[in-house]
Amino acid sequence: MSLLNILRYPDPRLHKVAKPVTVFDARLKQFVADMAETMYEAPGIGLAASQVDVHEQIIVIDISDTRSDLRVFINPEILWVSDEKQIYDEGCLSVPGVYDGVERPARIKARALDADGKPFEVDADGLLAVCVQHEMDHLKGKVFVEYLSPLKRNRIKAKMLKEERELKREKQREQVAVR
Ligand code: GNR
Ligand code: NI
């Protein structure tokens, strides 16, 4: 098992479009296990492979309070969305510390494959519907801040770049300390 590095907005690699998985082997299962470990450690309720710089259609989700209901979605497709919308205050492990309202269809029907390549369908509402749509956006190269106004997005971008500079400086100081 290993923890994977999560890309931070505005990293351009977050905007790459993921390709379908074609091979269902032990390597895929190991990667799914690493994604789950990374999501639980973060901690987050979902993670898309795009966020760890792997541009294949792989998502892990666990919205349970007990962190014991892992769902794996490979090559997911939306089959139906409700006309009814819901606004949810979304966050993202690639945009830490930022939360804002996003309007999306309140209910969806989706189809995906599990880690064995076996198809399944899911009817989702509430947080699960939000999370599946948020993660499927990542696979298309879309981050939730792109639903916000350009003003908000630019402020978030500036805040993230400032934090990145500060993180880099901290790392350099650590390096000097061990030399
Ligand atoms: O951990 C996460 N929480 C969350 C909260 C509200 C709406 C969506 C999410 S997904 C996010 C993890 C993440 O960034 N997945 O891509
Ligand atoms: Ni996210």
Side-chain angles (χ1 to χ4, degrees), residues 29-47:
K29 285 201 175 152
Q30 182 57 58
F31 177 65
V32 167
D34 290 345
M35 279 184 66
E37 189 187 4
T38 305
M39 171 186 72
Y40 287 127
E41 197 271 343
I45 58 169
L47 188 71

Side-chain angles (χ1 to χ4, degrees), residues 7 12-21 28 31-32 35 46-61 71-78 92 94 104 110-113 120 130-144 146-147:
L7 299 178
R13 290 171 292 182
L14 284 169
H15 303 303
K16 290 171 80 167
V17 177
K19 296 195 167 70
V21 171
L28 174 69
F31 177 65
V32 167
M35 279 184 66
L47 188 71
S50 317
Q51 291 177 278
V52 294
D53 202 22
V54 172
H55 302 283
E56 294 178 43
Q57 295 174 15
I58 307 167
I59 290 168
V60 293
I61 291 178
R71 300 166 193 256
V72 179
F73 293 78
I74 296 173
N75 302 350
E77 295 168 73
I78 299 275
C92 182
S94 296
R104 300 182 186 271
R111 193 213 328 258
L113 306 175
F120 66 95
V130 172
C131 198
V132 170
Q133 293 175 83
H134 174 114
E135 305 310 340
M136 285 185 69
D137 274 351
H138 275 302
L139 299 181
K140 292 169 206 142
K142 186 158 184 173
V143 180
F144 87 98
E146 291 170 66
Y147 290 104

